[in-house]
Each structure stands twice: as C-alpha cells, then as structure tokens.
Amino acid sequence: MRPLGRHAGEPVSYVLPQPPGAPDAWTTEAAQQGRVGSQRLLEVAEVVPPGAVASVLGPAVVVRRRLVLLDGQPVELADSYYPLEIARGTGLAQAARIRGGAPTLLAELGFRPDEVAEQLAVRPGTAAETAALDLPGGSQVVELVRVTYERDGSPYEVAVMVMRPEGRVFRYRMKVDDDGVSRR
C-alpha cells in the first residue's frame, strides 16, 4: 500500500473547512493520489464518552462514528466527539453525511480551529477494531487522538482515530524558540 492517509503533523487539512461544494478532506486527499477515499457512517448518537474524552468535553457528547475506506478497503475507525451545546440541533447530531465534512459545518457554526493537539500511540487492537479493519487478531493498530481548540482555548472536538498501521506516514514540524518552547 502506498503511503496515504492521515498525516499527523499535517492535521490542518482535516480541521479546516473545505471550499464551497468540495468534498471532505479525506476524499480530496485520496483523489489527489488517484484513489478513492470514502467513509461509512456507523453511528451518530448522544453518549457518555470514554473517560479521556469526558475529561476534555464533559460528561455528555454527540459522537459521529465512521469507518474510513480507501479503494473500498477499511483503513481507519474514526470517532469524533462534540459538546452537546455545539452539536445538538445541527447536522453534527444527524445520521447523515455532512457536505464538505464536519469542519465545514463547524465553521458555518462559528468554530474555527486555533490550536490542535495530537497524541499518537501504537497498541494491540481490540477484537472489534481488528475485525472492522480486516486485520488478524492480535494485530497492532495506530491510535491518534486529536483535540481541536478555539481561539479562547475551549476544546470543541475530540477525534479518536484507530488505523491500520501499513501505509501510514506521520510528519511533525514545529517552531522552537531559544527557550525550547514551541511557537505557532
């Protein structure tokens, strides 16, 4: 499999709105490589989130669970969590595709990213994850957790992505000042 997929350190295309009428960032990225990127919506619901998500967004959220496909093959499970006060009554809480992806709708609602924090881990996949990603039991997966923040420092999305490890390229680039502190 050629390297293609979510490039950590280049999350900006995945958190910014798309131009009017454009598809989501994943579909666009795959097409630029001559491939077909798509997503299957698995669930949209108000839920009590896992502990790590609850510590960022609170005790009740809307989750959008998707199976991400490349040329029809599963490559990623993607769960995006949103605070109820943002998602309720919007397309984020509806079991339907969002034209241009969630970042486009979020921008229409007034939410534009100011900062993105990511955590990357390689771990054994659960039985459900390996089955969904068509991996042998006991396989390793890559987990990327991304928190997107508004200019005032408020988080408005936590995305938990569990990926097949092959074909993934992770690039990071940051500015560091003389004191060793990262700058935007």
Side-chain angles (χ1 to χ4, degrees):
M1 185 180 291
R2 291 188 322 227
L4 178 71
R6 312 288 181 171
H7 296 279
E10 294 180 12
V12 75
S13 66
Y14 290 99
V15 298
L16 289 177
Q18 297 299 302
D24 62 83
W26 170 245
T27 301
T28 299
E29 180 185 349
Q32 290 169 346
Q33 304 263 336
R35 303 189 71 188
V36 177
S38 60
Q39 300 179 39
R40 185 176 308 143
L41 191 59
L42 302 175
E43 177 184 26
V44 177
E46 289 187 17
V47 299
V48 174
V53 175
S55 70
V56 175
L57 297 180
V61 298
V62 167
V63 64
R64 294 181 64 82
R65 297 186 199 283
R66 299 163 326 278
L67 177 64
V68 180
L69 306 162
L70 180 62
D71 297 331
Q73 299 302 307
V75 294
E76 176 177 317
L77 293 165
D79 294 351
S80 298
Y81 298 90
Y82 306 96
L84 287 180
E85 60 272 11
I86 292 172
R88 194 178 267 158
T90 74
L92 293 170
Q94 296 174 2
R97 294 185 55 94
I98 298 171
R99 185 147 181 88
T104 301
L105 176 57
L106 284 161
E108 291 170 7
L109 297 172
F111 296 92
R112 291 195 54 103
D114 181 62
E115 184 176 359
V116 175
E118 294 183 340
Q119 177 177 301
L120 182 66
V122 176
R123 61 170 176 76
T126 66
E129 290 166 343
T130 57
L133 294 173
D134 198 23
L135 291 167
S139 293
Q140 297 287 304
V141 295
V142 177
E143 180 182 70
L144 178 65
V145 178
R146 176 182 298 142
V147 181
T148 307
Y149 298 88
E150 291 184 82
R151 192 168 298 284
D152 69 1
S154 301
Y156 64 88
E157 178 182 19
V158 175
V160 179
M161 296 156 278
V162 177
M163 305 173 235
R164 295 180 64 100
E166 72 275 354
R168 297 301 173 163
V169 175
F170 298 95
R171 295 183 188 113
Y172 289 90
R173 181 176 176 174
M174 62 188 83
K175 298 269 187 191
V176 180
D177 65 19
D178 291 335
D179 297 326
V181 177
S182 177
R183 298 180 282 142
R184 285 185 265 174

